[in-house]
Amino acid sequence: MELRSGERELYEGRPSWRALMCFYVLGIGVAVAVFVILGILADNTGTGVVIAVVIAGLTLVIGYLRRIATKYLITTQRLRISKGILRKKVQETRLERVQNVNYEQGVIDRVFRVGTVDTAGTDDSEFRFEWVNNPEGVVRAVDRAVEEARAQTPGQMPPPEQGVA
């Protein structure tokens, strides 16, 4: 993506591999369960191994594709989320539409130091940066971007509401 005149990148990221750890563990767990059920209990080891390897492989490929197919960008002028490999979906908004920024972390998210950042704004300018490393840092990047945008166009942007959870 090309930056506009006077625009600077403040944050660029993707979902964290650590955040997808639960997905990986669940997929590998299903593969092991299939192996145990088919291979040991049903005495069909060959089929159990093949199906377990396919499930484990699909889990790894799908997790990897989910990660690389999503890109987050925060600049001094806009927020942008781009998703997809074959089919693209791009969500973009100007910073003056952002009213507040929050993040949330569950217990496991805190262990892996990941979380989800939500921005709320006018109209359809709600953005969700899912599974990001250091969600508080992402919140600070959005705050910094809004402050810089306000400084560049004084009087045009209302002060942002504080909403960090």
Side-chain angles (χ1 to χ4, degrees):
M1 183 194 88
E2 283 189 39
L3 297 178
R4 298 172 183 156
S5 175
E7 184 176 28
R8 282 186 311 108
E9 182 180 296
L10 298 175
Y11 171 84
E12 180 180 4
R14 298 185 183 279
S16 170
W17 66 270
R18 291 188 314 261
L20 292 168
M21 194 63 65
C22 289
F23 177 77
Y24 292 134
V25 168
L26 180 65
I28 302 299
V30 168
V32 168
V34 166
F35 172 72
V36 168
I37 291 168
L38 288 178
I40 297 172
L41 299 179
D43 199 24
N44 194 349
T45 307
T47 304
V49 167
V50 170
I51 293 174
V53 167
V54 168
I55 291 171
L58 282 173
T59 298
L60 295 175
V61 168
I62 291 169
Y64 177 74
L65 290 176
R66 277 176 89 176
R67 184 176 186 282
I68 66 162
T70 303
K71 184 176 178 182
Y72 304 124
L73 181 66
I74 301 170
T75 73
T76 53
Q77 296 179 8
R78 57 193 160 149
L79 303 178
R80 179 181 171 105
I81 299 173
S82 175
K83 293 181 179 182
I85 294 175
L86 298 176
R87 195 179 100 157
K88 277 280 197 212
K89 177 183 177 189
V90 176
Q91 184 182 13
E92 187 174 295
T93 193
R94 296 181 315 275
L95 289 173
E96 60 264 16
R97 295 176 155 245
V98 175
Q99 291 179 344
N100 60 35
V101 185
N102 303 301
Y103 76 93
E104 63 181 75
Q105 291 178 298
V107 174
I108 293 175
D109 291 338
R110 289 182 58 86
V111 169
F112 288 125
R113 298 184 322 271
V114 297
T116 298
V117 176
D118 288 308
T119 68
T122 59
D123 302 329
D124 62 348
S125 59
E126 295 184 13
F127 279 69
R128 192 168 178 88
F129 294 75
E130 298 176 312
W131 305 323
V132 292
N133 287 324
N134 185 17
E136 189 164 349
V138 175
V139 168
R140 298 293 159 243
V142 173
D143 286 342
R144 195 167 55 250
V146 169
E147 289 297 320
E148 285 191 32
R150 272 188 32 224
Q152 290 175 3
T153 55
Q156 292 183 6
M157 290 181 65
E161 296 176 19
Q162 295 299 320
V164 176

